[in-house]
Structures are given as structure tokens and as C-alpha cells.
Amino acid sequence: MNDYTKYLASRVTAGGLSRREFMGRAMAAGITLAVADKLFTESAEAAEPKRGGHLKLGLEGGAATDSKDPAKFLSQFMFCIGRCWGDMLVESDPLTGAAVPALAESWEPSKDAVTWTFKIRKGVKFHDGKELTIDDVVATLKRHTDKKSESGALGVLGSIKEIKADGGNLVLTLSEGNADMPLLLSDYHLVIQPNGGVDDPLASIGTGPYKLTSFEAGVRATFEKNKDDWRSDRGYVDSIEVIGMNDATARIAALSSGQVHYINRVDPKTVNLLKRAPNVEILSTAGRGHYVFIMHCDKAPFDNNDLRLALKYAMDRETMVQKILGGYGKVGNDFPINSTYALFPEGIEQRVYDPDKAAFHYKKSGHSGSVLLRTSEVAFPGGVDAAVLYQESCKKAGIEIEVKREPGDGYWTNVWNVQPFSTSYWGGRPTQDQMYSTAYLSTADWNDTKFKRPDFDKLLLQARSELDEAKRKDLYRAMAMMVRDEGGVILPMFNDFVNASTKQVKGYVHDIGNDMSNGYVATRVWLDA
Amino acid sequence: MTNPAPSNILPGLRLRQRFPLLALILERFVLSIVLLFAVSILIFGGLEALPGDFATTYLGQSATPQAVANIRQDLGLNRPVTTRYVEWLGNAVQGDFGTSWASKNSVSEQIGKRLGNSLFLAGFAALISVPLAVGLGMLSVHFRNRMPDKIINVISLAAISLPEFFIGYLLILFFAVKLGMATFPATVYDSMGLVERLKAIALPTATLVLVVLAHMMRMTRAAILSVMSSAYMETAELKGLGAFRSIVKHAAPNALAPIINVVALNLAYLVVGVVVVEVVFVYPGMGQYMVDAVTVRDMPVVQACGLIFAAVYIFLNMTADILAIVANPRLRHPR
């Protein structure tokens, strides 16, 4: 079975592909009818979920300082825990990234995408038995959009001007049109809580498939099944135990000895060793997170586009993916979007390592002497190695890079967004609009490349309120080209999310939205005895 | 009537003459308090000097200036350092360490739990390692320069030469992954029974024992050997006392002071120095708690942990000093 058919089979298992679709694609890939038929049956059988059992997850990212308040979810640990007990209004489709209904049954924008009406699902009960009402929804959104709020979603919801209930519907009025509004509501902070969680933000009462039974920050959380769950296509295991394990070796030891069923953050350096364990399966999902080398477009010598181009051509992307990510990633093309985003602009030529072109632009820039690159292990795993690799590939183009290793402590305060050339990391965002608005809009707080282009901003705002998908795609394409050819970001690679499970774990959904099956891992998998 | 009236003698001096031991203990105690106070200034000052503050570090890349400003305002980070220090110390003296900035939980309550876990692990490790170290030390003196002495030395030296995380990983590899007989991870939680708890901490305890054993054992051996060369030990031998009996009855008590010292030092290490072991075994103790807090600059937690660690260290050292004085009457009258 080659990779493509494996991929098709996994989509059948995840319930994302019908028989007709599967057969068509498999045969197009050169598989005989009989084999394809057998494959489909096997994959579909694997898709029959079993109920019951106790699922144990060993996750990196928990800390004693974690808060149970969804507004303050930050760590991977809390992200995953929040998804177990709470629901948002909207979810994102695991395979396409499009908005799909959750607590909001359906929605309707006004023509200019300024007013959005969401129909709220009826008959949903909170864990305490109280029925979900429109007031709870309104209160939740109000809490997260309050100017004094410390919510992690405050930035995402910045454009919401008015939140009100209209009959059973939620009506949002924005300060400007935004075609992506439903997707923004899938943000993991926006768990719908009774009365918005105003009375007791730490109560962990939601409408999700599991009830929180015990919690110790950074140490352990346990869940039992919510018998009144409004959905039947999730929550297969009876109980869940999430254990905080910040040591990579401890996670691997716990998984290979069968003490936990699933771990996150498998180090690319050791993944090949872990693969040898007989009962272990590596789960690698294409993601939106990317590693970057950022140049400040407004500071010498990086204010010269020829120098920026020279440094872009001097990046050996393939080697980076192989050496730094251990092959668990995809090459980047110097703009922060990849094919996991809806409306990805296809057909843009891949930039490749070209010492001659790099040398040409370097000469044209008129710059001489070495270029100082600051880096650290905290910028991304392998950050220092990547900088040294880059130094080597630049040497072949006649560009001298001086690598300075900065202390990890305080890197985000003293180096990132402050120094003109450094290594960094970006997690993905639900939409292209959000990614660009966070880091490439002239007025963005975290515009870490100091990319300030009024024409780019105009395109971004135009695309934001454009409801016609084809037109939007064209706009996104123009923006991508601008960032790629004139921006200050060198983007060598997108990293895969590399997790691992024991072979008992079935039904894992490779969700392009975010790590750990977009946080839903515990509610989506089942245990095969 | 030329002698000064007794009431003219300084009360402290009189106390010292009448109860030299009590005076010494009191002196040590006051010194410890002063030291702890100095440490509290160091902790607070050191944390102020760290790069980055809570608001930006905690929110990381998802921070907006609005959220950062909100947090700063909320926590009163805009007030002067001295005001915050005095306020903090005042509350800490009363046992109130405030609430964690990040989780909004009471720090004292959290520390109660975490310190309990740390003490449980340390206590259990001490319960095994101290008698074992002293016993093995005596044994190796008894067999000095013969095979058992050499074996004990080589093994304990090997154990102390390996970093503790490596010993931990080796134990995990053999006993949890390969043989599947030990519990791993060693996560303990409230609803856990005692037997289960003991099972969970078996591997970290073994690691700690191996790490501290050599130090205490070798000190015991050296101290007893140095006593053995003195004249009264020769007398003991000449009057026909058995070799082992002369070690236990005559040599060991006189070698007590240095042994107590090294034991106290190792006990302190068991409580405050086991961060790595806690991380490797996923054990929710104080070390892990403090590391988490430092990462996000959760000041109340870091300050509380620092102060408690300092207190444990100072208290154990003080106890060691006092015990050494009790064990050795000559130390009671310093000249």
C-alpha cells in the first residue's frame, strides 16, 4: 500500500470519504477494483467505533500555573482538557478547515458580511442539568470581548461591535465585514459556559462529552462520560485521564511501556527510535505552524529588498526539513500559508535553494560584511542547529552569516520583534485573514517583520469582507506573492504535528486545524481491546 | 562592696554562663532568622532583575497590548518595588503567600500539597538511605581495604558519578519498560491510597537513594576511620573488644558530628534539589511547581518556593549544628 492509498484509507476510517469517492480516487491511483474494494471494507470496519474503556493521555505543556478559566487557556494541556468538557458555537472541519455547526446550528451573513445571525441549537443541556439558552451564549461572548478581559480570544474578536439576542438567535454586528466570522468562533477559548462563566469561570461546566471529575494544575485531570451528551458521534471511551508529562523521555517511556495510550510532542530526533517499539504508532499530521527567519524590513541592511531576496535564495529548505524536522514537515515558500488553509492560493512557484541567484541579488544590494543572525533553542526546537545550517548554505552563495546564540530566558521579550534578524516560530491560525492580520498588517502588534505596505493592507481588508470565494482566492494569491517576493520573512518549513499512540487507539482523526486532532483527540478516539 | 551587683551583668551574658547550650541554640536560631530575612531580599531583588515580566511572558505570542495592560493594572505591577516587597514580606510572615497570578489559586494551599509530596518522597528516601549509608559505612570500615569495602566503594562511586536523570532513565528503562514491574509515571494525586502511593514512588526513591548514598557512606567511613586511629581506640582493641563492637560503641559516637553534617546536607538536597528527578518521573513536587512558575514569571509562587527552600536549608543546617554541639561537649564552650 503506498502513501496515497494509506491516506485514502485513513480518510475512510475517519469517516471523511464515501465508498464512491474512495473507489474513484483509488482506481485513479492505479489500484485494481478488487483490491480497492477490499481496502475500503477493511478501512470501513476499522471505522466502526467501540465504546467503553479508560483512556490515558500523557501530554506536554501542563504547568502548575494553568488556570481552569477557558479565557486563560494557554497550554497544550488546557487546550486538550477544554475540548473534553466544553463546546464552541462552531467547529472546523478536520479535513477541509471549513466552519461546521456545533452549538450554533446554522448561520447567515448580511450581504456585506457585517451582521451575522447564528441559530442556536435547542435541547442541549449543561453538565449541571440546566438547559443551554441564548443568554448563556451572549454572556459568554460578552465576557470574552470585554475590553478589560484577559481572554486569549480578545484579539480575535476585536471587530465585534455588538452582541445581542434576537428571539432564539445570536446576532453579531461587526465594525467591518468579515467573511470568516463563524470560523473565529471555533477558537478554543470560546467555550460556552452557563451565564458565560461570569459567576464561576473555574467551574468547568459545559456541554461537552465529558465531565471534569478532578483537576490538579499541571499534574492530572480526570473525566467521566457525560450521559446526556447531545451528540452520539463522539465520546466513545467511558473515562479519560490526562497526565502532565513535560519530559520528552518520560512521555516516550510511558507510551512504550503501555502506561498511557497517547502522547504529544514527539521529538523529531527520536521519532525513528520510537517507531521501533512494537505497540506504537506514530501519528503525524500536516500543520500550519511554521519556523521562520525574520528580517525587519525597516532596518538596515534589511531595508533593501535585494538583500532580502538574496537571503531567501540562500535558504536550503529541503535540507532544513530533513535535518531539523527529521522529515516530519513540508517546505515553505516564504509566505505563512500552506495547503491546509481553505482558499490556499495554488500554483505559486516553489522557491528553491539557488546560490547563484542569491549571489546575484547580494551583489546588487551593495551590502558587504557579515550579517548577524540571533537565535535560540526556544525560538523553535533545533533553532540553533537551523541557524548553523543556514550559515553553511549562505557560505556557498558568498554571504557571511554570524550566528549569535541568545539565552532562551527572555528571548521573546528581548530578541524576537526587537532585533532586526532572528529565528522564530508561528503557530497556525484558523484563517488566512487571521494569520496575515496578526503578523503582516501594518498596524498589527506582532508585525515582527515590520512589513508595512498600505497596498497589502488594502487587499487584506478587501478580502476580509468578500463573500465570493473565487474573488477571495485571487486576493489571497496577490497577498501571498507580495509577502513572498517583498516581505521580510524567510519561511523554510511548516512543521508537522508529531504525536504517537499505542495500537489500541483507533479512529484518530488527522485534523489540519491544530495539534492533537485539534485538541479533540480524547473525544474522537476509541480503544480496541 | 566593690564587686558589681549581679544585676549589672548583661542578661545575655548571664544566660550564656548558666545555660551555655541553650544560649548557643538561641544564637543559632536568631542568626537563622536574620539569614532568612536576607535571603528574602535576594529572592525579591533577583526576580525583579529577571528579563520579561509576567504579563508579556504569560500571554506569549497571543498577547495584545490591551490584555498586557489589563494584567499589569490588575496585579498592581505599576507600584514601586519597595512597597510590593514590604507588603509581600508582611503577608508571608503570617503564612499568607497570596494568590498565584496565573491560576488565581491560593499559593499557600498549593504549596501545602506540593511540599507534602516533596517531603513524602524525601522522607521515604531518607528513611532508606540514611541507615543504609551509615550501616554500609561501618561495614566498609570493618572490612577496610578488603573485598566488601572495595565493592561498596565502587558501586556507590559509580552511582554518584552518573547524573541523576541518567540513573532515573536507566531505572525506568529496566523496571518499567522492559520488565514492566514498576509503576510509571510516578504521578501521585489526592485520592490515592498509601500502598498505591508507595508503589508509585518506588523508582524515584530508588534513584534518590542511589544519588545520596555514596556521599553519606563515604563521609561515615572517613570519619570513623579518623577516630579509629586515635589512642583510645587502640586501648579498646588492647582490652580485647571485638572489632565491630568497638566501631559501633566507641568510634561511631565520636564520629557523629561530621556524619550529622553530611546527612543534613543530603536531606536538604532531597527536599530542594530534586527538580530533575521530579521532572523525569512526572512527580508533582515543589521543584516542578517552582520551575513552572519561573517559566511564566508567576512571582508569588516563585517567591514562596524560594523562601521555603531557603527555610528548609537553613533549618536543616541549624539542626545539624545544634546536634553536633550536643554530640560533642567540647563545642559547647567556644573560646
Side-chain angles (χ1 to χ4, degrees):
Chain A
M1 200 160 46
N2 62 26
D3 279 351
Y4 182 67
T5 40
K6 244 190 214 164
Y7 165 75
L8 286 179
S10 75
R11 282 192 57 179
V12 172
T13 309
L17 215 56
S18 73
R19 183 186 182 86
R20 174 191 286 252
E21 282 171 313
F22 175 80
M23 299 299 263
R25 289 191 205 184
M27 282 163 73
I31 293 167
T32 62
L33 180 68
V35 173
D37 189 52
K38 187 165 163 272
L39 252 175
F40 180 82
T41 318
E42 274 172 10
S43 313
E45 261 169 21
E48 193 56 53
K50 291 192 173 63
R51 292 192 181 264
H54 179 68
L55 178 73
K56 280 173 99 168
L57 313 179
L59 303 185
E60 190 255 11
T65 43
D66 283 338
S67 169
K68 277 202 284 179
D69 180 355
K72 294 187 190 156
F73 284 172
L74 273 175
S75 63
Q76 296 254 319
F77 193 72
M78 293 316 296
F79 167 55
C80 203
I81 283 172
R83 296 288 210 202
C84 291
W85 64 261
D87 282 312
M88 334 300 130
L89 288 176
V90 178
E91 284 179 17
S92 69
D93 185 280
L95 303 170
T96 65
V100 291
L103 288 181
E105 238 170 26
S106 61
W107 46 82
E108 201 63 53
S110 63
K111 274 211 179 71
D112 54 359
V114 165
T115 312
W116 286 82
T117 310
F118 293 83
K119 197 170 167 216
I120 305 300
R121 200 174 291 276
K122 295 247 160 35
V124 177
K125 272 188 186 150
F126 283 112
H127 294 159
D128 59 0
K130 196 182 142 295
E131 192 152 326
L132 167 80
T133 65
I134 180 73
D135 296 335
D136 299 315
V137 174
V138 170
T140 301
L141 290 183
K142 280 201 168 142
R143 184 162 84 92
H144 288 273
T145 51
D146 183 359
K147 286 273 174 294
K148 287 205 203 83
S149 162
E150 291 168 18
S151 172
L154 189 60
V156 177
L157 303 180
S159 66
I160 295 184
K161 219 167 60 186
E162 196 189 12
I163 301 160
K164 63 172 191 220
D166 177 19
N169 296 339
L170 169 75
V171 180
L172 299 179
T173 314
L174 314 181
S175 53
E176 62 196 351
N178 191 338
D180 289 325
M181 194 61 224
L183 259 184
L184 298 186
L185 295 178
S186 70
D187 187 294
Y188 62 90
H189 298 98
L190 301 176
V191 174
I192 304 298
Q193 292 173 282
N195 194 25
V198 176
D199 321 318
D200 186 1
L202 309 179
S204 301
I205 289 176
T207 56
Y210 291 94
K211 293 179 182 175
L212 188 74
T213 45
S214 77
F215 176 82
E216 219 177 305
V219 179
R220 187 172 172 268
T222 54
F223 294 91
E224 63 174 24
K225 177 101 179 89
N226 171 19
K227 298 245 158 46
D228 298 324
D229 190 15
W230 56 277
R231 271 171 72 171
S232 59
D233 61 341
R234 62 175 185 180
Y236 301 111
V237 296
D238 285 339
S239 52
I240 302 171
E241 184 174 347
V242 188
I243 304 167
M245 293 189 184
N246 288 336
D247 185 70
T249 316
R251 287 198 297 283
I252 287 183
L255 183 74
S256 39
S257 63
Q259 306 269 5
V260 296
H261 296 108
Y262 177 91
I263 58 170
N264 67 345
R265 291 274 166 101
V266 176
D267 188 342
K269 283 183 193 141
T270 48
V271 66
N272 288 319
L273 295 172
L274 184 60
K275 247 188 204 163
R276 288 194 220 146
N279 194 31
V280 166
E281 192 147 1
I282 307 293
L283 305 165
S284 168
T285 309
R288 293 170 181 172
H290 47 276
Y291 297 172
V292 288
F293 290 61
I294 45 179
M295 307 175 276
H296 285 184
C297 299
D298 61 349
K299 281 193 200 116
F302 308 102
D303 52 357
N304 181 323
N305 196 39
D306 274 304
L307 182 75
R308 296 203 294 268
L309 275 174
L311 290 172
K312 286 176 187 174
Y313 279 115
M315 172 65 74
D316 187 348
R317 296 170 177 76
E318 292 288 346
T319 310
M320 285 282 169
V321 170
Q322 288 314 317
K323 295 262 160 46
I324 304 298
L325 296 177
Y328 286 93
K330 315 275 178 300
V331 292
N333 200 8
D334 295 338
F335 64 98
I337 304 300
N338 65 1
S339 59
T340 63
Y341 282 90
L343 307 180
F344 167 71
E346 276 151 47
I348 296 181
E349 190 196 345
Q350 173 65 47
R351 181 168 285 146
V352 291
Y353 178 45
D354 192 335
D356 295 337
K357 266 192 192 158
F360 167 77
H361 284 288
Y362 186 63
K363 209 170 157 212
K364 206 172 146 202
S365 78
H367 180 77
S368 64
S370 67
V371 177
L372 179 63
L373 170 65
R374 288 164 211 266
T375 184
S376 164
E377 262 325 290
V378 300
F380 54 83
V384 178
D385 295 344
V388 173
L389 259 180
Y390 181 53
Q391 188 181 34
E392 283 303 307
S393 70
C394 281
K395 211 178 263 172
K396 280 187 204 139
I399 305 172
E400 195 192 325
I401 300 280
E402 187 190 331
V403 175
K404 185 172 181 205
R405 185 178 184 158
E406 297 276 356
D409 210 25
Y411 188 79
W412 301 112
T413 326
N414 300 334
V415 179
W416 175 73
N417 216 358
V418 178
Q419 297 294 346
F421 193 26
S422 64
T423 57
S424 176
Y425 168 80
W426 276 103
R429 292 291 186 275
T431 66
Q432 294 193 47
D433 177 71
Q434 249 190 303
M435 190 62 235
Y436 284 126
S437 308
T438 317
Y440 297 88
L441 189 69
S442 298
T443 52
D445 302 319
W446 301 139
N447 184 341
D448 57 4
T449 54
K450 314 293 173 205
F451 180 67
K452 285 174 183 159
R453 290 278 300 264
D455 48 347
F456 178 87
D457 298 350
K458 223 177 108 193
L459 288 179
L460 182 62
L461 294 182
Q462 207 180 328
R464 186 178 290 170
S465 56
E466 179 59 66
L467 287 168
D468 181 336
E469 287 203 351
K471 276 191 200 152
R472 262 186 117 191
K473 214 169 170 175
D474 286 344
L475 291 169
Y476 280 137
R477 187 192 172 80
M479 285 157 61
M481 293 304 288
M482 239 182 234
V483 171
R484 175 181 182 265
D485 295 336
E486 287 149 48
V489 65
I490 307 172
L491 198 155
M493 53 195 157
F494 287 86
N495 58 308
D496 287 352
F497 302 121
V498 188
N499 303 309
S501 74
T502 63
K503 293 217 162 114
Q504 285 102 300
V505 174
K506 302 284 178 194
Y508 188 77
V509 182
H510 288 277
D511 193 319
I512 60 170
N514 208 334
D515 200 0
M516 300 185 287
S517 196
N518 204 359
Y520 290 112
V521 50
T523 70
R524 285 173 172 170
V525 300
W526 61 89
L527 292 172
D528 201 13
Chain B
M1 292 295 275
T2 48
N3 284 346
S7 59
N8 284 359
I9 301 177
L10 284 169
L13 205 59
R14 204 176 56 190
L15 187 75
R16 172 168 271 181
Q17 280 169 346
R18 267 205 207 157
F19 311 100
L21 190 60
L22 188 68
L24 264 173
I25 291 175
L26 266 179
E27 212 173 277
R28 294 275 160 181
F29 192 71
V30 172
L31 201 67
S32 300
I33 300 288
V34 173
L35 199 56
L36 202 54
F37 180 69
V39 167
S40 80
I41 295 179
L42 272 181
I43 293 173
F44 204 91
L47 287 178
E48 281 300 317
L50 274 181
D53 78 342
F54 172 74
T56 50
T57 321
Y58 182 58
L59 292 171
Q61 277 191 336
S62 68
T64 60
Q66 180 70 49
V68 170
N70 289 347
I71 290 187
R72 286 212 179 117
Q73 183 67 38
D74 247 26
L75 299 173
L77 282 178
N78 307 327
R79 293 176 308 148
V81 186
T82 41
T83 322
R84 283 185 282 136
Y85 172 72
V86 170
E87 207 177 274
W88 167 68
L89 193 68
N91 289 333
V93 167
Q94 298 163 39
D96 174 16
F97 289 110
T99 48
S100 153
W101 289 350
S103 68
K104 304 282 176 216
N105 287 327
S106 150
V107 176
S108 311
E109 198 179 296
Q110 285 286 315
I111 283 191
K113 232 184 249 171
R114 295 283 187 144
L115 189 63
N117 286 347
S118 275
L119 289 178
F120 183 64
L121 181 60
F124 202 62
L127 207 65
I128 295 175
S129 60
V130 173
L132 196 64
V134 174
L136 283 176
M138 289 191 204
L139 211 64
S140 75
V141 169
H142 183 65
F143 292 105
R144 68 178 166 280
N145 297 331
R146 282 190 279 153
M147 200 40 97
D149 178 32
K150 282 179 184 158
I151 292 176
I152 291 172
N153 266 293
V154 166
I155 292 181
S156 60
L157 273 181
I160 210 173
S161 313
L162 296 174
E164 57 242 67
F165 69 87
F166 191 68
I167 297 180
Y169 286 153
L170 283 182
L171 291 179
I172 293 171
L173 181 64
F174 285 110
F175 293 102
V177 179
K178 297 262 186 244
L179 300 173
M181 41 192 277
T183 309
F184 179 81
T187 314
V188 296
Y189 41 89
D190 292 345
S191 56
M192 217 175 192
L194 183 68
V195 178
E196 243 181 303
R197 214 172 258 257
L198 288 178
K199 258 194 211 158
I201 66 164
L203 285 188
T205 307
T207 309
L208 289 178
V209 167
L210 283 174
V211 169
V212 298
L213 192 64
H215 199 192
M216 290 192 283
M217 193 282 287
R218 290 179 67 80
M219 187 52 106
T220 309
R221 181 178 183 272
I224 296 180
L225 273 182
S226 92
V227 175
M228 294 287 278
S229 61
S230 51
Y232 64 86
M233 287 308 296
E234 239 166 272
T235 314
E237 204 178 318
L238 287 175
K239 78 180 183 188
L241 216 59
F244 199 69
R245 213 162 149 225
S246 68
I247 291 176
V248 174
K249 265 204 104 155
H250 296 278
N254 286 297
L256 218 49
I259 297 177
I260 289 173
N261 246 314
V262 74
V263 166
L265 220 81
N266 278 292
L267 287 185
Y269 166 81
L270 282 179
V271 179
V272 311
V274 298
V275 179
V276 176
V277 174
E278 285 178 8
V279 171
V280 168
F281 287 98
V282 198
Y283 187 82
M286 284 286 280
Q288 180 73 64
Y289 188 47
M290 183 165 174
V291 169
D292 286 351
V294 171
T295 323
V296 296
R297 306 273 185 276
D298 194 344
M299 294 309 172
V301 178
V302 183
Q303 286 157 350
C305 289
L307 204 60
I308 286 176
F309 282 165
V312 168
Y313 227 95
I314 292 171
F315 172 77
L316 282 172
N317 268 304
M318 182 183 84
T319 315
D321 279 357
I322 292 172
L323 283 180
I325 294 167
V326 174
N328 188 348
R330 269 180 302 178
L331 291 176
R332 279 179 221 169
H333 301 281
R335 272 157 292 171

